[in-house]
Amino acid sequence: MEKQEIEPSSHLSVIIDLSPTQWHLASLQNNNELQPQSSQQVLTFRSFITQTLAFLNSHLALKHENTLAVYGALPGKSVLLYSPTVPKSETEDISADANSYLPFKVLDNAVTTRIGEELDALRDEDEEAPCDLVGALTKSLCYINKLLTSTPATLDATTPPPEPRIVIMSVSPDQSASYIPLMNSIFSAQKLKVTIDVCKVFGPDAVFLQQAAYLTGGAYIYLERRDALLQHLMMTFLPPPSIRRLLVVPTQDKVDFRAACFCHKTIVDIGFVCSVCLSSTSPSKSVQFVSQKLMAYLLQFVQFSVNLSQSVQPVGTSIFLW
Amino acid sequence: MPPRKNDDYMEVASDDSLPSDVDEVYNGKSKGKGKGKATERKTREKGKSKNNEQPYAWEASYVRSWDTVQEDEAGSLQGAVEDLIARNRRRRLLAPSTAIRRTIIRHLVLVLDLSSSMMDRDMRPTRFDLMLEYARSFISEWFDQNPLGQIGIVGMRSGIAERIGEMSGNPQDVLKTISERHKLEPAGDPSLQNAVEMARGSMSHLPTHSSREIIIIFGSLTTVDPGNIHDTLDACVKDRIRIAVVALAAEMKICRDLCDKTGGSFGVALNDGHFKDLLFELIPPPAQRAVSRAAGAGAGTSNPTADLMMMGFPTRLPNTSAPALCVCHSDLKSEGFLCPRCSAKLCDVPTDCDICGLMIVSSPHLARSYHHLFPVKPYSAVVDGAKVSPSNACTGCSSSFSKSSASSTITDGVSPFGRYKCPDCKNDFCTDCDVFVHDVVHCCPGCGK
Ligand SMILES: [Zn+2]
Ligand SMILES: [Zn+2]
Ligand SMILES: [Zn+2]
Ligand SMILES: [Zn+2]
């Protein structure tokens, strides 16, 4: 084994949740209600962007071949904020600056100006709409798919394909409407061997994103000290997955895989599931109709033992020897 | 050409015909027998397109794989690649875009022919090796699309049926049973009846809501049966078992009957690629057949909406919890899942609890089956230059579109601009993203549906 594998370069797609409502809430209150003993700093959006950009720059600095794409999830839509392939807009002036490394500057400029443009373009009534996280996620998967399929042709065979991963910076709560598309994205990420990492900056734990990180082998971090964002990012999300095997990265102990019943939205242990979804073959009926049918028939979880809710401790009870 | 025995069983075209005649006979026959089922139509069409290029594998002269791909005048492979893409697109357009009823819980017995005829070299390296290779990829892909399904494996060797793998919902377990090639070394004659009986027996206990399927990969032209195979066939019809056969040699009357009477599909593999196509077409969950259901003997199952299954959602134990023995392997482990009904500790889900028999699934497994119910609408190819959307880049991967029309020849279903439009959100996508969105993601990046 004298032939050492060339370390693959790594591709990072970052999805930033840009919900104005949630960021506003985040700047007003800190997490004091969760940890009353620790007085914390309030993380403003500005300092969040600064710290994130520092993280992105260090990803680029880590290896020359590393690539980066930044997506923003805005209310009702998702946009690509930065990628090396997208032609830069002519308004940007990229003059050489003796004090900054050019790729960093290009990235910082692109991200900040694009975020500014997109937020300015938002109308007030749009701001309440839920963020299109799924759109951003599927777009980044399409991008990674293109990257993986096109790379072998351009590079020589000795260069391994880049290691792709996605980091989601989330502030919004889960939206139950996007559960199925989100799950579809997670499964395609599994197929492409893309690791999804989640950094929950603000708000309650996102169960869907916890599942996303668990199913793709990524890390889910709930930011307990929000002033330590950069440190969390550097320690947890900077090393690519192949290196993380050698490090101790926070893992999740409790991921809830129990399903919520579709009729009462309560978590059930044992339920009834319709074996076949009833839906219409007539094209005149819309998908909406089908999904109502689905609500009604497919997942009629009858609550059996809702209050059974077992806490995770029994040792003796789980041993069965026959 | 392989030696042929038992000519009375064969219904295939005689050898003296030219390849084009074989085409006609093959197609004509399936047309006559086809009952308008979507799957059969697809098979036929694919068979036709392949047929036009190549005769049966054993009739062809030695084919080098690089010969089958044709360069165009300019010496590029673009044309050939586009052809492939166009064929895939057409196939997708044929599929119904609206949701149809499909079986989500599937039980399948894969019957492998391990008779000596599998050592024929008309498919390289041998039929046997090729079958094993395709069976492995078939199993992985099948579990990927049917996470709640279970597969058992039965082999036909020396006149008897051998149980190679028990019904299991764990892809790793199933793959392990066929991983050791030397244990499956082909010998003797196959017995269809024994194999079908064994498969039927292993599925007899299943509840009515799950599908029961048998897929037979059959390379021989004979079967050595202890009794009347038509009795077995009748029993399968009664049990509502669907049998599909992928034949490697030629069409046999009894195989055709098994499929026709039970509602499965039958195909003769023309060559390696066609073999794989035939096998992989059996992966998507079959649409539910209302007719056969009403005709079925099941008592009180005429109302399909009443089919509710009891399922348990387990509690996951973290790997920091105190170790305990699992009920499935009696291994001492920390991580695992707890059965919500009896608190037994299980290694992996989905599975049936070994203690109380409750079906244990996790919510992602349920979610994984949804995309069969809500397929993404097929994108329409942008043919008219005026209908090109203003954006310069693909909505999915953000790679920019080429300005001019790339291909001069207008192929059916292929956009000369390389743009494909989502009917809902009216965004344009590139070819790669079109394929990726429909085959893998099942969710449009533009509208999230
Ligand atoms: Zn076990
Ligand atoms: Zn149990
Ligand atoms: Zn694209
Ligand atoms: Zn769309």
Side-chain angles (χ1 to χ4, degrees), chain B residues 223-449:
Chain B
T223 162
V224 185
D225 294 335
N228 185 353
I229 192 167
H230 290 279
D231 294 343
T232 308
L233 174 55
D234 291 340
C236 287
V237 174
K238 201 164 141 262
D239 285 353
R240 283 187 283 155
I241 292 174
R242 183 197 298 251
I243 303 178
V245 177
V246 177
L248 302 185
E251 177 165 336
M252 272 168 72
K253 177 84 172 78
I254 184 62
C255 293
R256 168 66 78 179
D257 282 354
L258 283 175
C259 302
D260 282 352
K261 293 207 173 132
T262 58
S265 64
F266 177 82
V268 178
L270 304 168
N271 51 42
D272 306 11
H274 190 220
F275 176 27
K276 191 166 187 181
D277 286 347
L278 283 176
L279 197 57
F280 277 56
E281 261 168 29
L282 300 169
I283 290 179
Q288 281 259 318
R289 293 164 301 153
V291 186
S292 71
R293 197 176 185 100
T301 53
S302 53
N303 181 9
T305 58
D307 273 5
L308 292 177
M309 281 170 300
M310 195 191 274
M311 284 190 186
F313 301 98
T315 313
R316 194 176 74 95
L317 295 174
N319 54 7
T320 48
S321 65
L325 295 177
C326 75
V327 294
C328 35
H329 317 88
S330 299
D331 285 342
L332 197 63
K333 279 189 185 173
S334 320
E335 69 272 274
F337 298 86
L338 287 184
C339 168
R341 184 152 73 185
C342 65
S343 294
K345 182 173 173 175
L346 307 156
C347 283
D348 217 347
V349 288
T351 180
D352 291 339
C353 174
D354 282 353
I355 305 300
C356 65
L358 183 69
M359 186 170 188
I360 312 279
V361 298
S362 65
S363 47
H365 286 110
L366 279 181
R368 199 167 195 158
S369 303
Y370 288 152
H371 73 79
H372 294 302
L373 306 172
F374 309 112
V376 186
K377 287 186 189 163
Y379 294 167
S380 55
V382 177
V383 186
D384 185 359
K387 292 214 180 100
V388 166
S389 81
S391 93
N392 245 334
C394 163
T395 313
C397 60
S398 310
S399 62
S400 46
F401 290 120
S402 57
K403 292 267 172 2
S404 59
S405 54
S407 61
S408 51
T409 53
I410 306 276
T411 337
D412 180 29
V414 174
S415 162
F417 304 96
R419 291 173 178 236
Y420 300 91
K421 197 184 275 296
C422 170
D424 283 342
C425 59
K426 309 283 183 229
N427 282 317
D428 283 4
F429 294 87
C430 69
T431 320
D432 289 344
C433 290
D434 177 28
V435 173
F436 181 65
V437 163
H438 285 92
D439 290 355
V440 183
V441 186
H442 305 293
C443 166
C444 171
C447 47
K449 274 189 229 159

Side-chain angles (χ1 to χ4, degrees), chain B residues 112-120 126-132 155-159 162 164 180-190 219-220:
Chain B
L112 302 178
D113 189 348
L114 300 178
S115 66
S116 48
S117 63
M118 292 304 283
M119 294 313 282
D120 273 357
T126 59
R127 287 180 183 176
F128 172 66
D129 286 304
L130 195 70
M131 174 183 74
L132 280 191
M156 296 185 282
R157 177 157 56 174
S158 309
E162 290 175 45
I164 296 172
E180 285 175 81
R181 187 185 180 280
H182 64 91
K183 284 195 183 159
L184 304 172
E185 206 59 55
D189 293 309
S220 175

